[in-house]
């Protein structure tokens, strides 16, 4: 695969993210690994050494340098500086990265009992919840609520680890009087449940790595049928994120290889309650106009 090189490098971290998303499909598989890390772990990219980043990406340090040069930078350090400057101007992000680093060091020690394990999960989930406001903006929430409001029917899908989030969303939207279809795939009927979706509908797809094949296929089918997609995922370039009109990016905590859902459930609650508030305001406005 021929790798395109940008002559004028992006001047900000936001511009670089946009450039990566635009060119992601044209990158080689190895450079896509780096692209995903840059998009999903910007704080770590800003603070870690090239050796650590290359280990976490699963590539050689030279590949990271090549990635940076393909976007017009002289080297990896120039690319990292964009994200480091962003952290220094927003102290919350810097604090989060440092707390995560200290937390990971603490978890590396063997727990003495159940209370220690509980403390670890509480701390890990607290960090993930505190970071949620950085990955999901107020504008993202407004757009997500608008997508739900405009949809004739909201379809919700999520399998494996994502199933609790999807089921909560479906139940809560029904409680908020939104016409909702929960795609649960019972008896292997996922395809049949999705095939009624149309251009006036919205599919909310929830999936995290490794992405459920049923969810990916449902997103593809819904896209072909003209429906809009709202994705809740752990990466901006996940299989369910690329076709989506909007991606709500959630970074969950991971404690001793067990990944949580605390931030995802919190986001789902905020999404449904925000929709209920907006629907209530519209209902009151309609009564006044009569």
């Amino acid at each position: 695969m021929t790798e395109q090189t940008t002559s004028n490098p992006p001047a900000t971290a936001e511009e670089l993210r946009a450039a990566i998303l635009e060119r992601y499909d044209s990158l080689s598989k190895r450079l896509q690994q780096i692209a995903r890390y840059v998009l999903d772990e910007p704080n770590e990219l800003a603070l870690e050494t090239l050796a650590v980043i290359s280990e976490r990406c699963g590539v050689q340090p030279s590949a990271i340098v090549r990635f940076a040069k393909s976007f017009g930078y002289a080297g990896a350090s120039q690319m990292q500086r964009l994200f480091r400057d962003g952290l220094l101007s927003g102290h919350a992000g810097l604090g989060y990265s440092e707390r995560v680093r200290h937390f990971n060091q603490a978890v590396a020690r063997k727990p003495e009992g159940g209370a220690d394990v509980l403390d670890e999960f509480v701390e890990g989930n607290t960090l993930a919840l505190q970071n949620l406001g950085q990955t999901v903006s107020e504008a993202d929430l407004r757009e997500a609520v608008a997508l739900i409001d405009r949809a004739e029917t909201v379809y919700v899908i999520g399998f494996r680890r994502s199933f609790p989030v999807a089921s909560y969303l479906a139940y809560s939207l029904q409680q908020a009087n939104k016409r909702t279809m929960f795609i649960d795939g019972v008896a292997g009927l996922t395809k049949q449940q999705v095939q009624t979706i149309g251009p006036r509908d919205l599919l909310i797809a929830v999936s995290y790595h490794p992405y459920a094949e049923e969810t990916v296929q449902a997103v593809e089918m819904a896209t072909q049928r003209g429906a809009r997609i709202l994705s809740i995922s752990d990466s901006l370039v996940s299989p369910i994120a690329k076709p989506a009109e909007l991606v709500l990016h959630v970074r969950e905590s991971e404690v001793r290889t067990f990944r949580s859902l605390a931030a995802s459930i919190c986001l789902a609650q905020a999404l449904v309650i925000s929709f209920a508030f907006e629907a209530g305001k519209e209902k009151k406005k309609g009564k006044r106009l009569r």
Side-chain angles (χ1 to χ4, degrees), residues 103 107 117 120-121 124-125 161 252-261:
F103 172 71
V107 169
V117 174
E120 289 174 0
F121 276 94
N125 286 324
R161 188 167 70 97
E252 290 286 4
S253 67
E254 184 171 333
V255 181
R256 302 189 183 278
T257 73
F258 287 93
R259 287 173 293 175
S260 177
L261 287 172

Side-chain angles (χ1 to χ4, degrees), residues 98-267:
E98 288 300 317
R99 291 196 301 273
V100 168
R101 188 178 299 186
H102 293 155
F103 172 71
N104 288 336
Q105 291 172 352
V107 169
R109 298 190 292 268
K110 186 177 180 179
E112 295 181 4
D116 288 340
V117 174
L118 177 60
D119 287 344
E120 289 174 0
F121 276 94
V122 169
E123 176 67 14
N125 286 324
T126 299
L127 288 171
L129 288 167
Q130 290 174 341
N131 187 55
L132 187 59
Q134 294 182 46
T135 58
V136 179
S137 67
E138 183 179 348
D140 290 334
L141 277 176
R142 282 200 304 268
E143 186 178 351
V145 168
L147 285 170
I148 293 171
D149 185 55
R150 291 196 298 265
E152 187 173 282
T153 302
V154 174
Y155 289 68
V156 185
I157 187 169
F159 289 97
R160 304 175 196 171
R161 188 167 70 97
S162 309
F163 190 86
V165 184
S167 61
Y168 173 83
L169 276 168
Y171 169 77
S172 300
L173 285 172
Q174 289 168 350
Q175 292 297 104
N177 297 316
K178 184 66 186 181
R179 186 177 177 182
T180 306
M181 171 74 173
F182 181 38
I183 303 169
D184 55 16
V186 171
L189 295 176
T190 303
K191 184 177 179 180
Q192 287 78 4
Q193 290 175 331
V194 179
Q195 68 183 7
T196 57
I197 200 168
R200 292 184 291 182
D201 300 325
L202 172 71
L203 175 65
I204 301 180
V206 189
S207 193
Y208 311 101
H209 187 271
Y211 308 100
E213 185 179 346
E214 304 95 324
T215 305
V216 175
Q217 290 175 348
V219 168
E220 292 172 350
M221 185 185 300
T223 301
Q224 291 169 0
R225 297 180 66 84
R228 294 185 172 186
I229 311 295
L230 168 60
S231 293
I232 298 176
S233 189
D234 56 358
S235 175
L236 296 175
V237 290
S238 74
I240 70 163
K242 295 293 285 180
E245 185 149 332
L246 175 67
V247 183
L248 299 179
H249 184 197
V250 182
R251 297 171 64 193
E252 290 286 4
S253 67
E254 184 171 333
V255 181
R256 302 189 183 278
T257 73
F258 287 93
R259 287 173 293 175
S260 177
L261 287 172
S264 298
I265 292 293
C266 181
L267 174 61

